[in-house]
Amino acid sequence: MDGTGKTLNVLMSVTAQYPQEQQAWFKEMSAKFKAETGADIQWETFASANDEMTRIQTSVVSGQGPDVYGLGTTFTPTAYSTGAFVKLGDNEWNQLGGKDKFVPAALGISGPDDGNQIGIPFVSRPFVMAYNTELLAAAGIEKPATTWDEFTEQAKKLTKGDQYGVAVAYKDNFDPWKYIWGMSIQAGNPIIDGSKVRLDDPITKKAYETYFGWVTKDKVVDPSSVGWANPQALAAFAAGKAAYFPMTSPLSIPALDASAVKGKYKYALMPTVPPGETSNPSNGKPAASILSGDNLVVADYSKQKDLAFAFVKMITDKDVQLNYFKVFGQLPANQAAAKELATNEVIAPALESGAKSVATPFSGAWGDVQLSLTNVVVQSIPDLSSGAVSESNLSQRLKDEQAKSQTALDRAKK
C-alpha cells in the first residue's frame, strides 16, 4: 500500500507504568509503518476513563478525529452504540489476516453478536493478584485466599509495622470500579439487569463497604494508598511493603522482575466468592476478572480506512504482539503468539483468569455506569482520608449515581 504523504492519526491509552517504553514503542511502530506504507503516524493518548469517553463523544459529534482508537474493552459497547465505527465484515477481517488470527475469547466483547462487531482485539489483560511468597510463608499462610472474607483475614495476619497485607490504589483512574463490579456479580448483581440499573443494590453497597473497609476498618492497606494510582501500589508491592497486590496483570512483570521481589512473587486468581459468603449464591458468577483488554476500532468518518486497517494488521501480527508482551507484559490477542506463551508458568494464572473472566454488559450505557461506579470512590476520597465513610454518605452517593446511570440506560434503549 502506498501511503506516501499521508498521516494516520492513532489514539491509545497512556501506559502509566511504562511511559518511556511506550514512547519508544510509538517511535518503533512509526518507523515500521513508514517502511511498510510510506505513511506517518500522529499518536495521541488519553489518561483516564473520563478522557476516553470525552474523546469518543467529541469525535462522533464533529465527525473528525483519530482514524484508529485503542479502547478498553468495556468502552467498546459505548463506541458501538454511536454507530460511528466500521462494522467488520469479511473484507475487513481479510485485510487484518483473517478472523481466526485472533484468540476466540478475545472476540467476546467486539460487538453484541458475531455478525455485528467493531472491536479488533489488540491485547488481553485478565486481572489476577500478585503475592509475595516469602511474606505469606512467614505468616504461615499455605495458599492465597479464594474468598474475599478469607482475603481480608489473611491481610490482617500479613500487616505489621510498615508492612501491609494489601497494596491498593484508591485514586487510580481505572481500578476501583472493577473491585465493585467483580464482588457484585459474584454475589448475583450484574449492575445492569435488563432495563434497570442496580447500582444502589445492597449487594453493591456491601462491595463498597468491603473495599473501603480495608483502609478504614481493617487497616490492612497503607493509609497513603487513598492518594495512590496503580503505579504507586505496584511500587509498594515491588519494594516488599505489601504481601498482596490485587487487580494487576502480567503488565506488572517487567517492573517486578526489576525489583526487590524478583523470584519472590507469584500470581493467583483473585477471590471469586463475594464478601460475607463461603460460596457463590445460586445467581452469582465466580468471575475471576472482567473480560479485559484493549480493542482497536476504525472510525467510519476516516478517509484512510485501508491505511487504518494496514496499521491494525501490523500491530496485531505475531512478532509485534510477542514483542509487546516482552516490553509491557500484555497478553497477545494474536492466537499464534498466545499459543507460544501458553507454557509460561508465571502467566499461567492469568491465562486461567482469562478463561474464567466475565464480560461486562454490552450496553451503550455501560461507559456511563462504569464512570458512576468510579465516581462513588472519587467522592469518598476525602472521607477515606479522614478514616471513615459514613453509611449515610455512601447511601446518598449510590442513590445519586444510580439516578445518573438509569438515565443513561433509558437513553441508550431509545
Side-chain angles (χ1 to χ4, degrees):
M1 179 180 297
D2 185 8
T4 305
K6 296 181 178 180
T7 298
L8 191 73
N9 189 298
V10 178
L11 173 70
M12 299 190 81
S13 173
V14 167
T15 304
Q17 294 94 324
Y18 309 111
Q20 293 178 336
E21 290 84 351
Q22 185 176 42
Q23 290 303 312
W25 186 81
F26 284 166
K27 290 180 181 178
E28 182 184 351
M29 290 302 102
S30 292
K32 183 175 175 63
F33 193 60
K34 181 86 167 180
E36 291 185 6
T37 67
D40 294 309
I41 298 175
Q42 176 66 46
W43 299 93
E44 296 182 51
T45 58
F46 61 86
S48 71
N50 274 304
D51 191 14
E52 186 175 8
M53 175 74 86
T54 300
R55 289 306 306 270
I56 293 173
Q57 293 172 336
T58 301
S59 295
V60 167
V61 170
S62 66
Q64 59 185 0
D67 299 287
V68 179
Y69 294 66
L71 301 176
T73 48
T74 61
F75 270 81
T76 303
T78 299
Y80 183 89
S81 71
T82 67
F85 297 92
V86 176
K87 282 195 177 182
L88 304 169
D90 291 342
N91 180 58
E92 287 77 21
W93 286 116
N94 289 337
Q95 284 181 273
L96 297 168
K99 199 171 186 177
D100 58 0
K101 168 183 175 178
F102 301 93
V103 175
L107 293 161
I109 200 164
S110 291
D113 54 62
D114 288 345
N116 293 281
Q117 296 177 314
I118 62 167
I120 304 151
F122 175 45
V123 292
S124 177
R125 197 166 46 248
F127 290 98
V128 288
M129 60 184 181
Y131 64 97
N132 187 309
T133 54
E134 287 189 350
L135 294 183
L136 262 69
I141 297 171
E142 295 182 359
K143 62 179 183 178
T146 58
T147 75
W148 285 111
D149 285 359
E150 183 186 15
F151 178 81
T152 300
E153 290 308 307
Q154 287 188 1
K156 290 177 181 178
K157 293 180 181 178
L158 291 159
T159 299
K160 56 181 179 180
D162 64 350
Q163 172 192 304
Y164 291 91
V166 192
V168 179
Y170 285 100
K171 211 171 182 179
D172 190 76
N173 286 318
F174 298 99
D175 285 356
W177 74 266
K178 299 185 182 87
Y179 288 98
I180 307 307
W181 180 84
M183 292 178 188
S184 295
I185 199 165
Q186 289 167 3
N189 180 15
I191 304 295
I192 291 182
D193 187 9
S195 60
K196 173 151 177 64
V197 176
R198 291 170 51 182
L199 199 150
D200 61 351
D201 189 278
I203 287 174
T204 305
K205 185 179 179 183
K206 188 172 183 63
Y208 278 106
E209 290 171 343
T210 300
Y211 179 62
F212 291 157
W214 293 336
V215 67
T216 61
K217 176 171 65 74
D218 305 309
K219 314 292 187 183
V220 296
V221 301
D222 189 327
S224 300
S225 68
V226 172
W228 285 356
N230 186 279
Q232 285 74 52
L234 171 62
F237 179 82
K241 296 296 185 180
Y244 276 120
F245 177 37
M247 207 58 73
T248 187
S249 73
L251 179 69
S252 57
I253 289 175
L256 296 180
D257 281 350
S259 78
V261 299
K262 180 180 181 179
K264 302 176 184 177
Y265 77 91
K266 289 184 178 180
Y267 292 123
L269 294 185
M270 285 190 290
T272 57
V273 176
E277 304 288 347
T278 56
S279 62
N280 294 93
S282 58
N283 59 342
K285 297 180 179 180
S289 169
I290 63 168
L291 184 60
S292 177
D294 291 329
N295 282 334
L296 300 163
V297 295
V298 175
D300 205 30
Y301 57 69
S302 172
K303 295 178 172 60
Q304 312 184 107
K305 292 186 181 68
D306 286 345
L307 203 58
F309 279 100
F311 167 77
V312 174
K313 179 186 182 303
M314 182 185 80
I315 66 170
T316 56
D317 281 346
K318 178 184 176 182
D319 289 347
V320 173
Q321 291 259 293
L322 285 172
N323 181 64
Y324 200 83
F325 169 76
K326 182 179 179 181
V327 176
F328 300 105
Q330 304 255 38
L331 296 180
N334 177 290
Q335 190 158 202
K339 285 181 178 177
E340 193 162 308
L341 296 174
T343 58
N344 185 321
E345 291 185 7
V346 175
I347 66 170
L351 296 173
E352 183 184 359
S353 177
K356 294 179 178 179
S357 294
V358 175
T360 49
F362 201 94
S363 165
W366 180 253
D368 292 289
V369 175
Q370 178 179 315
L371 292 176
S372 281
L373 287 167
T374 301
N375 286 342
V376 174
V377 180
V378 172
Q379 294 159 15
S380 299
I381 291 295
D383 292 348
L384 292 172
S385 297
S386 65
V389 180
S390 70
E391 192 277 337
S392 59
N393 281 352
L394 177 57
S395 294
Q396 186 60 53
R397 285 162 193 156
L398 289 171
K399 181 180 178 181
D400 292 345
E401 295 302 328
Q402 166 73 25
K404 294 177 187 177
S405 296
Q406 187 64 54
T407 298
L409 182 60
D410 292 344
R411 184 173 61 244
K413 287 187 171 293
K414 287 182 179 179

